Amino acid sequence: MGKYEGHFLRCLSCGFLFADNPIWLDEANSTAINVTDLGLVGRNIWFANIARSVVFYLFDSNGKFLDYGGGTGLFTRLMRDAGYDWYWYDKFCLNIFAEGFSADMGSGLRYELLTAAELFEHLVDPVQTLSELNNLSENILFTTQLLPENPPRLDAWWYYGLEHGQHVSFFSRKSLQILAESSGLIMKSNGNNLHLFCRKNMPNLLFKFVTNPFLCGITALLHRRSSLLSSDYEIMRNSKRVVDANRT
């Protein structure tokens, strides 16, 4: 952020790299969406295509789903428009696009799949957070860029995000495997930026296959679901009527 001195430590056993005592986080997270995240819209569209394919081939498409750390709600809105009963949660960001479909975090509901786009690199305590996520779902589809085997200098890799200070945890593949095992889960990965923690002992090749961009595109075209847009509109309109009636 141009004004703090940060110290980063790396585990010599698993390769996990993390910021030690990131005292700048409160200030860094005061703005949920950092101004340098120019790929936010494109990333949500890409992740929505991936999620549709993963749900269609690997999970119950008629279940309930949760986007954890859902930002503006754009991903949740895309998934509901595609016909999936998706909900939103984010303790830092305002729900703009999926208002009315925020998850009740105290309900005890278990979700068929939880999505978390660009969340894990923000975690100060990944083990504790994963335990909390696992209480919501035993299937977690998420994105985070794997740390190269030979970690770049702090000034030589864009994903460190030193200019905004929000990224504090960087995972090797081995460290993600160990993290998954800490909650009794199995890790599947495309070896780059897309990962799945689950209890299903599926071949990693199957995960790579269903997340292949070409298959995702074909799946979106051939297996369309009825959008929830119309029913969501009625829900929101009726909710507004109730609010207006109470005000009257």
Side-chain angles (χ1 to χ4, degrees), residues 62-82:
N62 296 315
K64 290 185 180 296
F65 307 89
L66 173 65
D67 191 34
Y68 191 99
T72 62
L74 177 58
F75 175 83
T76 298
R77 185 69 262 162
L78 287 170
M79 296 307 295
R80 296 193 69 83
D81 288 356

Side-chain angles (χ1 to χ4, degrees), residues 148-163:
E149 189 170 337
N150 295 313
R153 290 170 49 87
L154 291 178
D155 59 357
W157 191 36
W158 66 274
Y159 203 65
Y160 289 131
L162 300 184
E163 70 281 356

Side-chain angles (χ1 to χ4, degrees), residues 131-175:
S131 177
E132 295 170 3
L133 299 183
N134 199 18
N135 288 332
L136 296 167
S137 178
E138 63 180 12
N139 306 303
I140 302 166
L141 179 69
F142 65 100
T143 67
T144 193
Q145 198 78 31
L146 286 183
L147 184 69
E149 189 170 337
N150 295 313
R153 290 170 49 87
L154 291 178
D155 59 357
W157 191 36
W158 66 274
Y159 203 65
Y160 289 131
L162 300 184
E163 70 281 356
H164 55 73
Q166 293 182 348
H167 292 184
V168 294
S169 290
F170 306 94
F171 296 88
S172 65
R173 183 174 185 133
K174 183 177 180 181
S175 64

Side-chain angles (χ1 to χ4, degrees), residues 198-225:
C198 62
R199 296 197 187 276
K200 295 183 178 182
N201 191 16
M202 70 184 81
N204 196 70
L205 279 176
L206 176 60
F207 177 69
K208 282 189 169 184
F209 177 71
V210 302
T211 57
N212 178 278
F214 178 77
L215 180 65
C216 291
I218 293 296
T219 302
L221 288 173
L222 298 182
H223 301 286
R224 291 180 179 273
R225 294 170 62 89

Side-chain angles (χ1 to χ4, degrees), residues 35 43 63 65 71 85 130 150 180 236 243-244 246:
V35 296
R43 183 174 65 248
F65 307 89
D85 194 15
L130 178 57
N150 295 313
M236 296 305 296
V243 171
D244 290 345
N246 288 338

